[in-house]
């Protein structure tokens, strides 16, 4: 099965440029995804692009993770109804270090591999690129009409807040990223969420006009919840990949509490479990939905992938001790830190020893 066929079966492709599937049949492909350091941790929405890179490498191709040290200073208008606050350089550097550390856990960067993963930072090629050179060498190749036709720009222009030149220029910067990687890393593919399609195709257009080259792209759908709620959000906010922000127990609980329809969709997207096993799990789950077989497998697979098997086992044990069918809960057997995480938000009352 080809990479594109695999991703289609998993529901991970929405838009794809003509010729992309054929490209994979001809050569080892270098493909990239960008990650802007808006926080010092990625959240579970970032798992989809991370897994696209993992699938790319598993299929024998070369994944490139681009850190947006430069684009992070500007802010992407895609999917945003108003201007984002600009981050200080100190904050950006701190965030970059956190994101870089996380990405290093999921991809194989062993330089002895023919398809070793690579991490790059677009600040490295933008830091010495002055404004006049940029508008002469890049801006002249893409018309304002072309840029304004993008959905991310049109929605902001038609909205109440408008769009600043700073964010308007973001797609040119992302387009130049693709051009730079094409020229310097032989990178012919860019991937991303469906909200990035406009920015991505600006890159393929810049490569065509400036380098007379041909580049390719595909996007994955934005993840939704069956009940209409926002994916990756809880009452406490984002579900983060950083264990300090979202504990492994809370992370495990998020997936365990997925609705049946969501679990059936998410297990294909967020795990590397083979299709045959997924089909079997769905059949077993359908026979006894109360056993939550699908949710347990989903929670176990994704928690192990992000936090490791040991932390996943602790989360499973804590869940069983708190919510299992035991008559008595033995709190002494439980890890104190995990217990405190599990009890977060529960009303607390202090009593003196004389009241016991």
């Amino acid at each position: 099965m080809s990479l594109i066929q695999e991703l289609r079966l998993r529901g991970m492709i929405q838009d794809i440029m003509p010729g992309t599937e054929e490209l994979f049949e001809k050569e080892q492909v270098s493909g990239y995804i960008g990650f802007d350091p808006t926080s010092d941790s990625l959240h579970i929405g970032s798992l989809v692009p991370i897994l696209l890179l993992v699938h790319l490498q598993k299929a024998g191709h070369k994944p490139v993770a681009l850190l947006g040290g430069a684009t992070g200073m500007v802010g992407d208008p895609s999917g945003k109804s108003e201007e984002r606050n600009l981050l200080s350089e100190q904050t950006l550097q701190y965030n970059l270090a956190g994101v870089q550390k996380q990405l290093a856990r999921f991809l194989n960067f062993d330089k002895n591999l023919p398809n070793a993963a690579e991490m790059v930072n677009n600040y490295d090629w933008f830091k010495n690129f002055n404004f006049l050179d940029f508008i002469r060498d890049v801006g002249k190749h893409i018309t304002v009409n072309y840029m304004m036709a993008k959905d991310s720009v049109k929605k902001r222009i038609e909205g109440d807040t408008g769009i600043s030149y700073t964010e308007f220029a973001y797609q040119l910067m992302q387009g130049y990223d693709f051009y730079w990687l094409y020229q310097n890393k032989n990178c012919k593919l860019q991937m991303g969420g469906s909200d990035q399609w406009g920015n991505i195709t600006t890159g393929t257009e810049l490569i065509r006009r400036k380098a007379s080259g041909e580049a390719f792209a595909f996007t994955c759908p934005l993840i939704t919840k069956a009940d209409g709620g926002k994916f990756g959000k809880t009452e406490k906010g984002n579900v983060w990949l950083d264990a300090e922000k979202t504990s492994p127990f809370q992370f495990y609980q998020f997936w365990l509490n997925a609705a049946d329809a969501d679990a059936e969709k998410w297990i294909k997207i967020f795990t590397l479990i083979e299709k045959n096993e997924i089909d079997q799990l769905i059949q077993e789950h359908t026979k006894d939905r109360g056993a939550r077989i699908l949710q347990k497998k989903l929670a176990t697979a994704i928690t192990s992938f992000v936090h490791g098997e040991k932390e996943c086992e602790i989360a499973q044990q804590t869940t069983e001790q708190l919510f299992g069918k035991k008559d008595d809960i033995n709190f002494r057997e439980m890890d104190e830190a995990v217990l405190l995480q599990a009890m977060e938000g529960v009303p607390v009352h202090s009593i003196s020893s004389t009241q016991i």
Side-chain angles (χ1 to χ4, degrees), residues 146-338:
Y146 181 88
M147 294 173 69
M148 288 182 67
K150 304 295 184 182
D151 285 342
S152 59
V153 174
K154 277 201 299 187
K155 287 176 182 176
R156 287 288 293 275
I157 290 175
E158 293 167 0
D160 296 329
T161 57
I163 185 171
S164 69
Y165 177 77
T166 304
E167 287 195 344
F168 182 63
Y170 185 95
Q171 67 170 286
L172 268 186
M173 293 182 71
Q174 185 170 329
Y176 185 77
D177 284 342
F178 199 176
Y179 169 80
W180 191 94
L181 289 170
Y182 177 87
Q183 291 289 82
N184 294 275
K185 300 287 184 180
N186 193 34
C187 188
K188 296 181 181 179
L189 173 75
Q190 185 179 173
M191 302 167 287
S194 59
D195 60 335
Q196 291 295 309
W197 185 246
N199 292 337
I200 291 172
T201 52
T202 296
T204 61
E205 186 68 7
L206 186 61
I207 288 167
R208 186 183 71 82
R209 295 186 182 189
K210 187 170 168 60
S212 299
E214 187 177 21
F216 302 87
F218 67 81
T219 63
C220 56
L222 297 182
I223 307 301
T224 56
K225 291 177 72 174
D227 63 5
K230 191 167 184 180
F231 172 76
K233 291 282 188 180
T234 67
E235 292 178 1
K236 298 170 187 174
N238 284 327
V239 179
W240 300 96
L241 303 190
D242 186 339
E244 296 296 319
K245 292 177 179 289
T246 300
S247 72
F249 171 79
Q250 293 163 342
F251 187 88
Y252 180 85
Q253 287 295 312
F254 173 83
W255 302 101
L256 189 64
N257 291 320
D260 287 345
D262 289 332
E264 189 170 330
K265 181 172 66 172
W266 294 350
I267 199 167
K268 298 172 186 175
I269 295 172
F270 290 101
T271 77
L272 299 174
I273 301 171
E274 297 293 337
K275 182 182 182 299
N276 291 342
E277 186 179 350
I278 290 175
D279 291 342
Q280 186 177 347
L281 285 165
I282 292 172
Q283 286 180 2
E284 291 175 9
H285 177 78
T286 304
K287 293 175 185 175
D288 183 8
R289 294 184 183 277
R292 300 183 73 75
I293 294 169
L294 210 52
Q295 284 89 341
K296 288 176 182 177
K297 187 68 175 181
L298 169 67
T300 299
I302 197 64
T303 305
S304 297
F305 178 71
V306 173
H307 293 294
E309 291 184 5
K310 183 178 178 181
E311 291 294 341
C312 181
E313 287 173 8
I314 294 172
Q316 287 173 309
Q317 291 166 6
T318 305
T319 298
E320 181 60 30
Q321 288 169 326
L322 285 175
F323 308 113
K325 295 180 179 179
K326 293 183 178 180
D327 294 330
D328 298 309
I329 299 175
N330 189 345
F331 289 105
R332 292 183 180 179
E333 292 180 358
M334 300 175 66
D335 182 274
E336 181 182 353
V338 177

Side-chain angles (χ1 to χ4, degrees), residues 35-42 66-70 87-106 109 119-121 123 242 245:
F35 300 85
D36 275 351
T38 52
S39 171
D40 61 343
S41 171
L42 299 169
L66 182 145
L67 299 176
L87 302 176
S88 68
E89 189 168 348
Q90 183 179 4
T91 301
L92 276 168
Q93 290 304 317
Y94 180 77
N95 290 353
L96 277 167
V99 171
Q100 185 172 4
K101 186 177 178 182
Q102 287 181 341
L103 288 173
R105 298 206 311 260
F106 302 116
F109 290 86
M119 204 176 299
V120 295
N121 184 342
Y123 183 74
D242 186 339
K245 292 177 179 289

Side-chain angles (χ1 to χ4, degrees), residues 3 20-32 55-64 108 110-118 185-189 216:
L3 173 65
T20 303
E21 192 163 3
E22 290 75 13
L23 176 70
F24 284 106
E25 296 170 1
K26 292 189 295 186
E27 60 189 84
Q28 183 188 80
V29 179
S30 291
Y32 92 94
H55 280 293
L56 188 75
Q57 190 166 39
K58 272 188 67 182
H61 303 284
K62 183 179 177 65
V64 178
N108 193 335
D110 183 354
K111 293 183 178 179
N112 294 317
L113 291 174
N115 65 329
E118 192 170 350
K185 300 287 184 180
N186 193 34
C187 188
K188 296 181 181 179
L189 173 75
F216 302 87

